[in-house]
Amino acid sequence: MVADLSQLVKAYDVRGVVPDQWDEPLAELFGAAFVHVTEADAIVIGHDMRPSSPGLAAAFARGATARGVDVTLIGLCSTDQLYYASGALDLPGAMFTASHNPARYNGIKLCRAGAAPVGQDTGLTEIRTLVEQWSEHGLPATAVTAPGTVTERDTLTDYAAHLLGLVGLSGIRPLKVVVDAGNGMGGHTVPTVFAGLPLDLVPMYFELDGTFPNHEANPLDPKNIVDLQARVLAEGADLGLAFDGDADRCFVVDERGEGVSPSAITALVAARELARNGGKGTVIHNLITSWSVPEVVRENGGTPVRTRVGHSFIKAEMAEHGAIFGGEHSAHYYFRDFWNADTGMLAALHVLAALGGQEGPLSGLLDRYDRYTGSGEINSTVADQAGSLAAIRAAYDGRDDVRFDELDGLTVTGDDWWFNLRASNTEPLLRLNVEARDGRTMTAVRDEVLALVRA
């Protein structure tokens, strides 16, 4: 029976319910297909704390070694720790995680050597095709005379040392920081990365537990940082950090318990990376980051480049332009010195260095980077996404005070506001982001667009 991978293989990764949509035998086929498409003779594999992750990772390794490929297992790790291993060892990699999804899910994030992305246009489509064929007809014969070897390797200490070598933290003032790991992999990486720094660490939910007993490990949803916000205030902390399930994204809460826009963090880190590179360099940002990001980049001597939403697009632009840094509204932060891959931990270290290098509070430090009022992402269920987008364009067409572009969905820009409306790749949703120079204007534009979308 051919496996139905239509709901399992996404644009950037593999993700679905275990065992309903996939299981260990299918993971074994993915391992064989991955080494076939990448033509690898050795790979590295890591996994998160979900109950199904070790078994799926081992099955993937069996599929690879059966094709004669040597496997390095790094065990429990964050996704950016897997990217570190792929970069430092110069090997293709597979990370078993479903990031922030509920416990019944699991998935695979794949990369080529040097943490280069594998997505639908860079090998994932071919991998899907092979797995579908092999699930129906079985694996083809191979000329391999002996299976590949399996080696275990601990990369956590080296990962931490690499990150700490990219940010100057030795002279910062003592800071009290609350970290909510959400029972995810931040509980594994933070103690090692933060060890020896002048930080009074208040840990929350550091116990590795893929059932997520306290809250979903998705800090992008405001309800999942409520505990962190309250703890920052109760502790009188300087800031709070929240990591998602696989700890490749990091969200920040200031000393007032207020969530910090990822665009403000993007602007802050961009300014620091530009300073570290002599005030020169290209910074990538997606089209729904704040106006403040390209402004700050230009003010600090850099060149901003605007791109579509999605890590494969960001990474491609990073490589094409030789960019030093890239940021997304979803709190993915990409660094040239981290093989163009995303690491929330490195962004967090930049925030700690910036805050600890001056005496004021985080809210004051970020005032210069958080200049406008944004709506956040608002989802609306829409059956006919293309028709709705066309109707919205028609509603604004003919106005001489607006500009349009369709780089990713529909962006409409006025003199002191803009909005972007994009269709979801996987659900019947339209995603709206609005920004304006003041709250009243943002609210008016948001409500006008939502009324049209939901009519």
Side-chain angles (χ1 to χ4, degrees):
M1 178 180 175
V2 63
D4 178 12
L5 305 187
S6 61
Q7 300 302 310
L8 182 64
V9 179
K10 312 295 185 182
Y12 314 121
D13 60 13
V14 176
R15 200 173 301 193
V17 177
V18 178
D20 300 20
Q21 293 178 299
W22 72 303
D23 53 16
E24 292 182 16
L26 205 56
E28 190 168 339
L29 295 182
F30 272 106
F34 178 62
V35 298
H36 180 88
V37 169
T38 59
E39 300 181 338
D41 53 19
I43 63 172
V44 59
I45 302 173
H47 64 80
D48 71 8
M49 67 292 140
R50 292 167 185 269
S52 61
S53 289
L56 291 170
F60 189 94
R62 287 196 298 273
T65 55
R67 316 305 284 182
V69 171
D70 295 333
V71 171
T72 298
L73 299 176
I74 65 171
L76 280 168
C77 65
S78 62
T79 290
D80 63 328
Q81 188 183 335
L82 184 279
Y83 291 151
Y84 165 78
S86 173
L89 302 176
D90 197 30
L91 295 176
M95 174 67 187
F96 282 79
T97 181
S99 185
H100 61 276
N101 286 125
R104 65 185 186 278
Y105 285 81
N106 215 322
I108 325 172
K109 294 182 177 180
L110 301 168
C111 61
R112 295 179 186 269
V118 172
Q120 61 183 359
D121 298 325
T122 50
L124 193 53
T125 300
E126 292 83 355
I127 291 170
R128 170 183 168 174
T129 298
L130 288 174
V131 172
E132 288 174 337
Q133 292 173 353
W134 294 346
S135 69
E136 182 177 14
H137 303 294
L139 280 166
T142 174
V144 171
T145 56
T149 62
V150 176
T151 304
E152 295 184 2
R153 180 169 182 154
D154 182 4
T155 60
L156 180 57
T157 301
D158 291 341
Y159 155 82
H162 179 77
L163 295 182
L164 292 166
L166 299 175
V167 184
L169 287 155
S170 59
I172 66 169
R173 63 184 170 93
L175 298 172
K176 188 170 191 177
V177 54
V178 182
V179 177
D180 182 347
N183 298 110
M185 293 312 304
H188 175 72
T189 57
V190 167
T192 298
V193 176
F194 284 14
L197 298 176
L199 302 174
D200 179 2
L201 174 62
V202 180
M204 293 181 65
Y205 313 140
F206 270 39
E207 304 79 18
L208 299 182
D209 188 340
T211 68
F212 307 111
N214 294 289
H215 60 71
E216 289 182 352
N218 180 20
L220 188 59
D221 188 334
K223 72 175 183 288
N224 295 321
I225 64 168
V226 170
D227 291 356
L228 175 62
Q229 291 170 306
R231 190 68 176 272
V232 166
L233 292 175
E235 296 282 347
D238 293 292
L239 77 163
L241 302 173
F243 291 90
D244 67 345
D246 59 336
D248 62 347
R249 290 187 295 158
C250 181
F251 292 76
V252 180
V253 169
D254 70 20
E255 81 288 350
R256 305 168 303 177
E258 299 291 332
V260 176
S261 162
S263 285
I265 301 301
T266 296
L268 167 68
V269 177
R272 290 178 52 82
E273 283 290 284
L274 285 165
R276 199 166 74 90
N277 285 275
K280 296 180 180 179
T282 298
V283 173
I284 310 297
H285 65 97
N286 70 30
L287 79 172
I288 54 176
T289 52
S290 171
W291 269 337
S292 63
V293 173
E295 288 176 0
V296 168
V297 170
R298 292 188 186 98
E299 290 164 7
N300 286 271
T303 302
V305 172
R306 180 173 175 264
T307 187
R308 296 177 62 184
V309 174
H311 77 90
S312 64
F313 301 115
I314 294 278
K315 288 177 179 176
E317 294 285 350
M318 291 279 292
E320 179 179 343
H321 293 276
I324 60 174
F325 175 63
E328 290 198 89
H329 74 297
S330 54
H332 282 286
Y333 305 106
Y334 307 80
F335 295 82
R336 181 189 63 194
D337 295 332
F338 199 74
W339 299 278
N340 291 334
D342 44 320
T343 165
M345 185 67 77
L346 184 50
L349 293 177
H350 271 288
V351 173
L352 293 170
L355 178 59
Q358 49 91 65
E359 293 301 319
L362 183 59
S363 59
L365 173 64
L366 291 174
D367 277 345
R368 74 192 76 168
Y369 304 113
D370 197 6
R371 303 172 178 181
Y372 304 103
T373 301
S375 66
E377 192 154 88
I378 304 168
N379 292 324
S380 301
T381 301
V382 176
D384 181 6
Q385 297 161 308
S388 184
L389 283 168
I392 300 297
R393 168 134 195 173
Y396 284 88
D397 217 357
R399 289 177 49 170
D400 57 10
D401 60 339
V402 302
R403 303 181 302 280
F404 299 93
D405 81 60
E406 297 182 11
L407 174 64
D408 191 352
L410 173 66
T411 302
V412 181
T413 304
D415 291 336
D416 54 4
W417 56 268
W418 61 266
F419 72 81
N420 173 268
L421 201 58
R422 299 160 25 252
S424 166
N425 288 323
T426 57
E427 302 172 90
L429 299 176
L430 285 179
R431 308 190 190 280
L432 173 67
N433 285 268
V434 183
E435 184 176 69
R437 297 191 187 277
D438 60 77
R440 178 179 296 180
T441 302
M442 187 282 293
T443 300
V445 174
R446 179 198 67 196
D447 293 349
E448 182 178 71
V449 178
L450 284 177
L452 291 167
V453 170
R454 297 173 177 177

